[in-house]
Structures are given as C-alpha cells and as structure tokens.
Amino acid sequence: VTAMSRDFAASMDINGVLFPNKLIKDYFTSSDVVHISNEVSFDPDCPKQPTLNRGIFCSDPKYMDLLKDVNVKIIELTGNHLNDYGWEPFSYTLGIYESLGIPYFGGGRTITEATRAVTLQDHGNSIAFVGCNPIGPSIDWVDGLNDGRPGSAPCSSPSSAACAAAAT
C-alpha cells in the first residue's frame, strides 16, 4: 500500500523520486508479481507536500517513476483518497496506467470497470484480482454522488458481490 504524499512525497522531492528504492527495490525485484495498492491519484497540479490540509492527498505524476522502477505488474484502486482532488485527477491516473499497460482493479470509470476481475498469468498460474472500498467516503466511489464520476468500487454494489463470489 502506498500514498505517495505528505512527508513521503517531500522526502522524494528532496532526495529524488527513486530514493525509497534504496530500502525496498531488492524485495520487489525478487517478487514474481508486484501488486501495489495506490491510495491516491496523480495530479499535475498537486501542491508541494506536505500540505496544510493533511487529510486530502494527491501525488505528483513524476512519482509514477518509483512504481515503474519496482516493476509494478498490477495496481489496486480500493483506497479512500482517490477523488480527494476531484474525479479529474483519478481519470488522469487511469490514463497513466493504461498508457503504460499496467492493469488495475477495484476502481475505474464505471461500476463495470471497477468491479471486473483482472487476471494475470505467472509461472503457469492464473491469479485473479478483485477489490472494493468498504468505507467510502461516497465521493470516492464510482458514481457515489449519482454524478457519473469514476472512483473505487463500493463493496455494497451488486456487481462487487457477484465479482467477489466469482473469484472464490
């Protein structure tokens, strides 16, 4: 789980985006599948960290270089800070993952996309990923304000329940 914001972001701004890899890269590069739950959206207008309002988060898009450097294979989008700066940064974030060919689950532009199972193949094994956000807030959920916004999959959605049952 990561939220590349607050003091963590400030340390990357001072020491370089790949600075955290000094401690974690060997662990990740020796893993078969790197699954990261990225709890916040990338935003080109993200204010420098740490911000005065420490309960609202975003990440500078350059921080994606850290995830690429640890060879992330799949991104989980079940966090509750994905729409802190509005739905536009979240949609922008989905575009980054798509342009890099990194699959994501547990969130998306529609409830169908957010609740779909994503399958990866590794060493002859199929691994299915599904996820949902059980706590909200509703502004973070797909269409959580009945306004069509992208977001995380709410666990109470019928699609989420069917998706979870299909994965078992």
Side-chain angles (χ1 to χ4, degrees):
V1 174
T2 189
M4 295 178 285
S5 58
R6 297 188 291 184
D7 296 335
F8 184 74
S11 72
M12 291 194 304
D13 289 339
I14 293 166
N15 300 299
V17 172
L18 301 182
F19 173 72
N21 275 353
K22 290 182 180 182
L23 299 174
I24 64 172
K25 188 169 182 173
D26 289 343
Y27 175 77
F28 284 108
T29 55
S30 65
S31 299
D32 292 329
V33 176
V34 177
H35 154 234
I36 292 180
S37 176
N38 192 18
E39 300 280 325
V40 301
S41 295
F42 294 107
D43 185 349
D45 298 319
C46 186
K48 286 293 178 196
Q49 307 289 333
T51 62
L52 295 177
N53 184 347
R54 296 179 64 84
I56 298 176
F57 309 116
C58 62
S59 290
D60 189 310
K62 69 182 178 188
Y63 301 160
M64 184 64 206
D65 288 345
L66 178 62
L67 300 183
K68 290 189 306 189
D69 199 53
V70 297
N71 200 27
V72 65
K73 295 291 185 200
I74 190 162
I75 299 284
E76 179 178 335
L77 298 172
T78 60
N80 59 345
H81 291 281
L82 296 170
N83 282 331
D84 279 3
Y85 280 86
W87 64 266
E88 296 90 346
F90 184 60
S91 186
Y92 173 82
T93 300
L94 296 176
I96 290 174
Y97 299 146
E98 291 163 352
S99 72
L100 295 170
I102 300 171
Y104 53 85
F105 70 97
R109 290 182 184 86
T110 65
I111 193 68
T112 301
E113 182 178 277
T115 58
R116 76 183 189 279
V118 176
T119 305
L120 294 182
Q121 302 297 317
D122 182 69
H123 295 93
N125 298 303
S126 293
I127 306 167
F129 294 85
V130 294
C132 61
N133 172 344
I135 61 169
S138 57
I139 193 171
D140 192 69
W141 289 324
V142 172
D143 199 31
L145 299 178
N146 297 315
D147 61 355
R149 76 179 54 235
S152 58
C155 294
S156 61
S157 109
S159 298
S160 293
C163 189
T168 58

